[in-house]
Amino acid sequence: MELEIEEIRKEFPILHTKNMGKELIYLDSAATSQKPNYVIDAITNYYREYNANIHRGLYDISVKATEEYTKSKEKVASFIGAKSYREIIYCKNATEAINLVALTWAENNIFEGDKILLSRMEHHSNIVPWQLLAKRKKAIIDYINVENGELDLHDYDEKLNDETPPKLVSFTHVSNVLGTINNVKEMTKKAKEKGAVVLIDGAQSVPHMNVNVKSIGCDFFAFSSHKMLGPSGIGVLYGNEELLEKTEPIIGGGDMIRSVDFDSCTWNELPWKFEAGTANIEGGIGLGKAVEYLEKIGMDNIRRHEVELTKYALDELSKIEGVVVYGPKSDYSLSNKAGVISFNIVGAHSHDVATIFNSEGVAIRAGHHCAMPLVNKVLNEPAVARMSFYLYNKKEEVDKAINAIEKVKKVLKIKKHDKK
Ligand code: C6P
C-alpha cells in the first residue's frame, strides 16, 4: 500500500514549522525521528490524567499507569517478535542497552584471552563498551572487515573459524553511515554454530523495517525509542529469556528486588530485575504509542516508501558531477540498503555542506556520525554529509536537497570538473 504522505505529515506538528525562514525539510531521522501527535498526546495525557508511580500504588491512577507501562512492553515484545514482555528491558537508549550486556552477561562470561568479534561499521556505542570490557578482562577484540560498503563475509567466516572462536559476536543490523542492511539472520546462525552469544545493534533497523528477533535467532538486540517516533530517554534491550534468567543484574535498588534483608536480597522476576528505581514511565507509554502508530501504517509500507525515496535520491545524486556517495552497491530492490545516504561534494567539507543546506531549510547531519573508525579508517574521509529518510519524507524534499547541492557549489565556488 502506498503511504498517504500528506495525511501522515499532518500528524507531525514540527513538519509545519520553519527552518531559516523556509519550510523545514527534515532529512536527519537517522539521528532522531520526529514525533506524531499520537505520541505527544499520549505523553501529555499521562501527565494530565494519571501521573503516578508504577508498581507501587494501590490507587486508581497508579494502577492505570502500571497497566499502560506494562502494555507498552507487551506491544514492543510483539512488534519485534519476542516471546513475551519478560524479554523486554527498558533502559535509556540503544547505547545503554549495549552497555547493559557488557556489564552483566559479558562481565560474568568473558575472561582473559577471550575474543569479542565486532565489525568495522559499528557505531561508537557498539565499540567503546567492548573496549572498556576488554581492558578490564584482558579480552581481545577483532573486527569484521568492510569491503565496498558491505561486511566481508569471507573475513567473517575466517574469524569465526579461528582456533579460538569468539565468545561474543556483535554487529549492527543497519549501518548509520552506509545504510547497509546486514544479513543478520545468516550471520547469527554462523556465530551460534560456533557457540558464540550474539548481540545485534538494531538502532537503525527497528524504526524502518519488520524485525523479528526470534527468526533472527540472536541472544540480545538493542534499539532506541527516539529513532522510531517515540520519546527520547528510553530504549530497549531484548534478551533471550533463558539467558536473562541466568544473568545477574548490575544496578540495585527499588523495584528490581523480591525481598531484601540486612545482609542479602533476592531478585524480582523478568524484566524488572534489570530495571532499578522509578522507571521512565512517560517514555515507556510514549514508546508503546509509537509502536501502535508504526503498526497502523505498516512496517512493510514504510520500508517500501523509503526504498522509493532512496532510489530516487541515489539516482538524482548520480547525475551530479563531483558527488561521491558511500555505501553498498545495491540491486534494484535495494535489498541491502536502508534510507541512509552518506555523501561528499568534492572540494567541500561536509560541515560547510550541512550549513549551506540549513540555509535552504534542509536539515542533514555531517561529521563522523559517531562511527569514527568507519569514516576515518575505512572510508578514509575526515567527515561525510548524510541524508536519511522516514515515513514522512517526500520526493519534493529530496529535490530540495539536490538543489541545495548546486547552492553549495555556487557558494563555495567549486569548479565544474573538480574530481576526487
Ligand atoms: N546514531 C546517528 O545520527 P542512542 O544514541 O543510544 O539512541 O543510539 C546509538 C546508536 C547505536 N547504533 C547505531 C547504529 C546508531 O545509529 C546509533 C545512533 C545516531 O547516526 C546518533 S549518533
Side-chain angles (χ1 to χ4, degrees), residues 28-32 92-98 121-126 172-177 201-205 222-227 234 365 369-371 386:
D28 198 19
S29 293
T32 198
K92 204 166 69 182
N93 44 37
T95 303
E96 194 173 273
I98 294 167
M121 62 165 74
E122 298 308 307
H123 186 277
H124 297 164
S125 61
N126 202 25
T172 193
H173 194 168
V174 172
S175 161
N176 67 320
V177 175
D201 174 356
Q204 298 289 354
S205 62
F223 56 103
S224 285
S225 150
H226 69 94
K227 293 189 199 291
I234 188 144
R365 190 176 167 189
H369 307 275
C370 300
R386 180 188 73 184

Tab-separated table of all heavy atoms in Angstrom, residues 28-32 92-98 121-126 172-177 201-205 222-227 234 365 369-371 386, ligand 1:
chain	number	residue	atom	x	y	z
A	28	ASP	N	17.074	14.102	8.679
A	28	ASP	CA	18.028	13.598	9.674
A	28	ASP	C	17.365	12.627	10.646
A	28	ASP	O	17.653	12.643	11.851
A	28	ASP	CB	18.663	14.779	10.429
A	28	ASP	CG	19.940	14.366	11.148
A	28	ASP	OD1	20.524	13.316	10.786
A	28	ASP	OD2	20.365	15.083	12.078
A	29	SER	N	16.503	11.789	10.128
A	29	SER	CA	15.787	10.855	11.011
A	29	SER	C	16.684	9.738	11.533
A	29	SER	O	16.321	9.069	12.506
A	29	SER	CB	14.574	10.267	10.288
A	29	SER	OG	13.634	11.292	10.058
A	30	ALA	N	17.849	9.528	10.915
A	30	ALA	CA	18.770	8.531	11.474
A	30	ALA	C	19.335	9.035	12.796
A	30	ALA	O	19.722	8.243	13.661
A	30	ALA	CB	19.896	8.227	10.492
A	31	ALA	N	19.382	10.348	12.964
A	31	ALA	CA	19.849	10.920	14.247
A	31	ALA	C	18.728	10.830	15.266
A	31	ALA	O	18.895	10.299	16.358
A	31	ALA	CB	20.298	12.361	14.060
A	32	THR	N	17.577	11.370	14.915
A	32	THR	CA	16.368	11.164	15.721
A	32	THR	C	15.166	11.436	14.838
A	32	THR	O	15.239	12.267	13.922
A	32	THR	CB	16.357	12.048	16.987
A	32	THR	OG1	15.409	11.511	17.923
A	32	THR	CG2	15.990	13.496	16.712
A	92	LYS	N	17.890	3.480	28.897
A	92	LYS	CA	17.865	4.869	28.409
A	92	LYS	C	17.819	4.951	26.883
A	92	LYS	O	17.153	5.799	26.312
A	92	LYS	CB	19.119	5.572	28.942
A	92	LYS	CG	18.994	7.054	29.049
A	92	LYS	CD	20.118	7.636	29.895
A	92	LYS	CE	21.449	7.526	29.187
A	92	LYS	NZ	22.583	8.031	29.956
A	93	ASN	N	18.576	4.093	26.240
A	93	ASN	CA	18.706	4.149	24.769
A	93	ASN	C	19.454	2.892	24.296
A	93	ASN	O	19.809	2.041	25.118
A	93	ASN	CB	19.449	5.425	24.329
A	93	ASN	CG	20.665	5.684	25.205
A	93	ASN	OD1	21.352	4.743	25.613
A	93	ASN	ND2	20.944	6.941	25.516
A	94	ALA	N	19.731	2.826	23.006
A	94	ALA	CA	20.459	1.665	22.470
A	94	ALA	C	21.845	1.571	23.111
A	94	ALA	O	22.337	0.474	23.405
A	94	ALA	CB	20.583	1.785	20.949
A	95	THR	N	22.451	2.717	23.325
A	95	THR	CA	23.794	2.745	23.930
A	95	THR	C	23.769	2.062	25.296
A	95	THR	O	24.611	1.209	25.591
A	95	THR	CB	24.259	4.212	24.098
A	95	THR	OG1	24.219	4.837	22.818
A	95	THR	CG2	25.646	4.300	24.689
A	96	GLU	N	22.792	2.449	26.117
A	96	GLU	CA	22.730	1.856	27.456
A	96	GLU	C	22.394	0.368	27.364
A	96	GLU	O	22.881	-0.433	28.159
A	96	GLU	CB	21.712	2.590	28.325
A	96	GLU	CG	21.869	2.242	29.794
A	96	GLU	CD	20.989	3.076	30.687
A	96	GLU	OE1	21.414	4.172	31.077
A	96	GLU	OE2	19.869	2.635	30.995
A	97	ALA	N	21.571	0.003	26.384
A	97	ALA	CA	21.205	-1.406	26.221
A	97	ALA	C	22.456	-2.249	25.933
A	97	ALA	O	22.640	-3.328	26.511
A	97	ALA	CB	20.191	-1.547	25.087
A	98	ILE	N	23.329	-1.740	25.057
A	98	ILE	CA	24.558	-2.483	24.725
A	98	ILE	C	25.479	-2.537	25.953
A	98	ILE	O	26.034	-3.582	26.295
A	98	ILE	CB	25.265	-1.837	23.511
A	98	ILE	CG1	24.384	-1.995	22.258
A	98	ILE	CG2	26.650	-2.449	23.283
A	98	ILE	CD1	24.800	-1.152	21.064
A	121	MET	N	32.014	-1.467	10.829
A	121	MET	CA	30.996	-0.451	10.515
A	121	MET	C	30.152	-0.105	11.745
A	121	MET	O	29.053	0.398	11.616
A	121	MET	CB	30.123	-0.856	9.318
A	121	MET	CG	29.308	-2.089	9.472
A	121	MET	SD	28.012	-2.208	8.185
A	121	MET	CE	28.940	-2.637	6.716
A	122	GLU	N	30.716	-0.353	12.943
A	122	GLU	CA	29.912	-0.108	14.140
A	122	GLU	C	29.896	1.358	14.559
A	122	GLU	O	30.856	2.099	14.371
A	122	GLU	CB	30.432	-0.956	15.313
A	122	GLU	CG	30.349	-2.448	15.086
A	122	GLU	CD	28.967	-2.914	14.648
A	122	GLU	OE1	27.989	-2.601	15.339
A	122	GLU	OE2	28.880	-3.596	13.598
A	123	HIS	N	28.791	1.731	15.159
A	123	HIS	CA	28.656	2.997	15.869
A	123	HIS	C	29.517	2.893	17.138
A	123	HIS	O	29.726	1.797	17.653
A	123	HIS	CB	27.177	3.152	16.228
A	123	HIS	CG	26.790	4.442	16.844
A	123	HIS	ND1	26.932	4.691	18.192
A	123	HIS	CD2	26.233	5.550	16.315
A	123	HIS	CE1	26.470	5.907	18.457
A	123	HIS	NE2	26.047	6.452	17.338
A	124	HIS	N	29.985	4.027	17.651
A	124	HIS	CA	30.821	4.003	18.865
A	124	HIS	C	30.165	3.228	20.007
A	124	HIS	O	30.851	2.622	20.826
A	124	HIS	CB	31.098	5.433	19.354
A	124	HIS	CG	31.879	6.248	18.363
A	124	HIS	ND1	31.968	7.610	18.420
A	124	HIS	CD2	32.602	5.871	17.275
A	124	HIS	CE1	32.695	8.058	17.415
A	124	HIS	NE2	33.092	7.017	16.696
A	125	SER	N	28.827	3.257	20.037
A	125	SER	CA	28.156	2.601	21.165
A	125	SER	C	28.270	1.082	21.095
A	125	SER	O	27.980	0.407	22.077
A	125	SER	CB	26.691	3.026	21.252
A	125	SER	OG	26.032	2.654	20.079
A	126	ASN	N	28.712	0.550	19.958
A	126	ASN	CA	28.979	-0.892	19.900
A	126	ASN	C	30.471	-1.166	19.734
A	126	ASN	O	30.869	-2.224	19.260
A	126	ASN	CB	28.171	-1.564	18.778
A	126	ASN	CG	28.009	-3.059	19.016
A	126	ASN	OD1	28.072	-3.532	20.161
A	126	ASN	ND2	27.826	-3.806	17.943
A	172	THR	N	26.057	-4.409	13.785
A	172	THR	CA	24.870	-3.604	13.560
A	172	THR	C	23.978	-4.256	12.506
A	172	THR	O	24.477	-4.900	11.577
A	172	THR	CB	25.270	-2.167	13.154
A	172	THR	OG1	24.114	-1.350	13.230
A	172	THR	CG2	25.856	-2.087	11.752
A	173	HIS	N	22.691	-4.064	12.658
A	173	HIS	CA	21.744	-4.569	11.648
A	173	HIS	C	21.818	-3.671	10.411
A	173	HIS	O	21.918	-4.155	9.286
A	173	HIS	CB	20.332	-4.564	12.257
A	173	HIS	CG	19.332	-5.338	11.479
A	173	HIS	ND1	18.098	-5.652	11.980
A	173	HIS	CD2	19.357	-5.860	10.222
A	173	HIS	CE1	17.413	-6.338	11.070
A	173	HIS	NE2	18.154	-6.470	10.001
A	174	VAL	N	21.792	-2.340	10.681
A	174	VAL	CA	21.875	-1.354	9.592
A	174	VAL	C	22.934	-0.318	9.970
A	174	VAL	O	22.901	0.222	11.076
A	174	VAL	CB	20.519	-0.651	9.382
A	174	VAL	CG1	20.641	0.505	8.393
A	174	VAL	CG2	19.461	-1.645	8.894
A	175	SER	N	23.855	-0.037	9.042
A	175	SER	CA	24.883	0.970	9.318
A	175	SER	C	24.287	2.378	9.256
A	175	SER	O	23.604	2.728	8.294
A	175	SER	CB	26.015	0.854	8.290
A	175	SER	OG	26.767	2.056	8.270
A	176	ASN	N	24.592	3.179	10.284
A	176	ASN	CA	24.056	4.555	10.312
A	176	ASN	C	24.806	5.480	9.362
A	176	ASN	O	24.411	6.616	9.177
A	176	ASN	CB	24.103	5.124	11.736
A	176	ASN	CG	25.512	5.328	12.243
A	176	ASN	OD1	26.384	4.499	12.007
A	176	ASN	ND2	25.759	6.427	12.927
A	177	VAL	N	25.896	4.993	8.758
A	177	VAL	CA	26.661	5.805	7.805
A	177	VAL	C	26.425	5.299	6.378
A	177	VAL	O	26.108	6.081	5.473
A	177	VAL	CB	28.175	5.765	8.128
A	177	VAL	CG1	28.979	6.505	7.064
A	177	VAL	CG2	28.431	6.343	9.513
A	201	ASP	N	22.911	-4.673	17.127
A	201	ASP	CA	22.546	-3.275	17.317
A	201	ASP	C	21.462	-2.944	16.282
A	201	ASP	O	21.744	-2.809	15.099
A	201	ASP	CB	23.797	-2.410	17.120
A	201	ASP	CG	23.475	-0.924	17.154
A	201	ASP	OD1	22.284	-0.556	17.256
A	201	ASP	OD2	24.432	-0.127	17.077
A	202	GLY	N	20.227	-2.812	16.766
A	202	GLY	CA	19.110	-2.577	15.845
A	202	GLY	C	18.623	-1.137	15.836
A	202	GLY	O	17.490	-0.870	15.407
A	203	ALA	N	19.499	-0.213	16.252
A	203	ALA	CA	19.072	1.195	16.373
A	203	ALA	C	18.542	1.747	15.050
A	203	ALA	O	17.610	2.554	15.037
A	203	ALA	CB	20.229	2.053	16.876
A	204	GLN	N	19.127	1.296	13.925
A	204	GLN	CA	18.711	1.848	12.627
A	204	GLN	C	17.819	0.893	11.842
A	204	GLN	O	17.448	1.197	10.710
A	204	GLN	CB	19.945	2.198	11.773
A	204	GLN	CG	20.864	3.253	12.373
A	204	GLN	CD	20.259	4.670	12.375
A	204	GLN	OE1	19.179	4.917	11.834
A	204	GLN	NE2	20.951	5.595	13.001
A	205	SER	N	17.484	-0.260	12.408
A	205	SER	CA	16.619	-1.175	11.654
A	205	SER	C	15.192	-1.182	12.177
A	205	SER	O	14.242	-1.024	11.392
A	205	SER	CB	17.191	-2.598	11.666
A	205	SER	OG	17.258	-3.117	12.979
A	222	ALA	N	19.404	-4.537	20.585
A	222	ALA	CA	19.274	-3.218	21.229
A	222	ALA	C	18.716	-2.179	20.264
A	222	ALA	O	19.052	-2.184	19.077
A	222	ALA	CB	20.659	-2.763	21.696
A	223	PHE	N	17.848	-1.297	20.765
A	223	PHE	CA	17.386	-0.165	19.940
A	223	PHE	C	16.845	0.962	20.811
A	223	PHE	O	16.664	0.800	22.011
A	223	PHE	CB	16.353	-0.604	18.890
A	223	PHE	CG	15.134	-1.320	19.413
A	223	PHE	CD1	13.923	-0.660	19.523
A	223	PHE	CD2	15.192	-2.660	19.766
A	223	PHE	CE1	12.778	-1.320	19.983
A	223	PHE	CE2	14.059	-3.332	20.230
A	223	PHE	CZ	12.858	-2.658	20.342
A	224	SER	N	16.600	2.119	20.158
A	224	SER	CA	16.199	3.346	20.857
A	224	SER	C	14.814	3.779	20.415
A	224	SER	O	14.489	3.732	19.226
A	224	SER	CB	17.158	4.493	20.506
A	224	SER	OG	18.382	4.335	21.168
A	225	SER	N	14.048	4.296	21.364
A	225	SER	CA	12.699	4.793	21.055
A	225	SER	C	12.716	6.056	20.188
A	225	SER	O	11.883	6.233	19.303
A	225	SER	CB	11.981	5.066	22.376
A	225	SER	OG	11.045	6.082	22.281
A	226	HIS	N	13.694	6.938	20.454
A	226	HIS	CA	13.628	8.261	19.805
A	226	HIS	C	13.825	8.206	18.289
A	226	HIS	O	13.512	9.177	17.598
A	226	HIS	CB	14.649	9.227	20.437
A	226	HIS	CG	16.081	8.885	20.134
A	226	HIS	ND1	16.756	9.440	19.080
A	226	HIS	CD2	16.951	8.047	20.744
A	226	HIS	CE1	17.991	8.962	19.074
A	226	HIS	NE2	18.136	8.108	20.070
A	227	LYS	N	14.354	7.093	17.783
A	227	LYS	CA	14.539	6.978	16.329
A	227	LYS	C	13.315	6.363	15.659
A	227	LYS	O	13.283	6.173	14.457
A	227	LYS	CB	15.761	6.120	16.016
A	227	LYS	CG	17.087	6.756	16.424
A	227	LYS	CD	18.234	5.931	15.884
A	227	LYS	CE	19.550	6.183	16.585
A	227	LYS	NZ	20.135	7.475	16.338
A	234	ILE	N	14.423	6.672	26.401
A	234	ILE	CA	14.008	5.279	26.609
A	234	ILE	C	14.472	4.418	25.434
A	234	ILE	O	14.384	4.828	24.276
A	234	ILE	CB	12.482	5.151	26.861
A	234	ILE	CG1	12.143	3.704	27.258
A	234	ILE	CG2	11.649	5.620	25.679
A	234	ILE	CD1	11.048	3.598	28.270
A	365	ARG	N	22.767	15.767	8.566
A	365	ARG	CA	23.864	15.673	9.526
A	365	ARG	C	25.188	15.590	8.775
A	365	ARG	O	25.236	15.069	7.651
A	365	ARG	CB	23.684	14.440	10.417
A	365	ARG	CG	24.650	14.442	11.578
A	365	ARG	CD	24.467	13.297	12.553
A	365	ARG	NE	25.652	13.265	13.412
A	365	ARG	CZ	25.948	12.314	14.265
A	365	ARG	NH1	25.145	11.284	14.424
A	365	ARG	NH2	27.051	12.372	14.988
A	369	HIS	N	29.549	10.907	12.458
A	369	HIS	CA	28.330	10.168	12.783
A	369	HIS	C	28.542	9.125	13.882
A	369	HIS	O	27.918	8.064	13.872
A	369	HIS	CB	27.746	9.515	11.518
A	369	HIS	CG	27.544	10.503	10.408
A	369	HIS	ND1	26.416	11.274	10.305
A	369	HIS	CD2	28.371	10.893	9.404
A	369	HIS	CE1	26.544	12.080	9.263
A	369	HIS	NE2	27.718	11.877	8.704
A	370	CYS	N	29.438	9.463	14.807
A	370	CYS	CA	29.742	8.534	15.923
A	370	CYS	C	30.202	7.176	15.385
A	370	CYS	O	29.911	6.127	15.981
A	370	CYS	CB	28.564	8.353	16.859
A	370	CYS	SG	28.035	9.882	17.612
A	371	ALA	N	30.862	7.218	14.240
A	371	ALA	CA	31.438	5.986	13.678
A	371	ALA	C	32.808	6.375	13.120
A	371	ALA	O	33.087	6.184	11.931
A	371	ALA	CB	30.530	5.400	12.611
A	386	ARG	N	25.243	13.462	5.438
A	386	ARG	CA	24.301	12.330	5.407
A	386	ARG	C	22.857	12.808	5.373
A	386	ARG	O	22.471	13.673	6.135
A	386	ARG	CB	24.495	11.482	6.671
A	386	ARG	CG	23.571	10.270	6.740
A	386	ARG	CD	23.656	9.568	8.086
A	386	ARG	NE	23.005	10.338	9.121
A	386	ARG	CZ	22.998	10.008	10.411
A	386	ARG	NH1	23.634	8.927	10.820
A	386	ARG	NH2	22.371	10.744	11.296
B	1	C6P	N1	23.070	7.111	15.797
B	1	C6P	C1	23.135	8.959	14.267
B	1	C6P	O1	22.978	10.155	13.949
B	1	C6P	P1	21.458	6.155	21.002
B	1	C6P	O2	22.245	7.420	20.934
B	1	C6P	O3	21.869	5.313	22.153
B	1	C6P	O4	19.996	6.353	20.899
B	1	C6P	O5	21.808	5.325	19.687
B	1	C6P	C2	23.123	4.938	19.465
B	1	C6P	C3	23.272	4.282	18.154
B	1	C6P	C4	23.634	2.957	18.103
B	1	C6P	N2	23.766	2.303	16.952
B	1	C6P	C5	23.540	2.902	15.778
B	1	C6P	C6	23.687	2.116	14.514
B	1	C6P	C7	23.175	4.256	15.750
B	1	C6P	O6	22.956	4.840	14.571
B	1	C6P	C8	23.056	4.964	16.954
B	1	C6P	C9	22.714	6.421	16.957
B	1	C6P	C10	22.693	8.500	15.625
B	1	C6P	O7	23.614	8.147	13.486
B	1	C6P	C11	23.183	9.415	16.699
B	1	C6P	S1	24.919	9.356	16.911
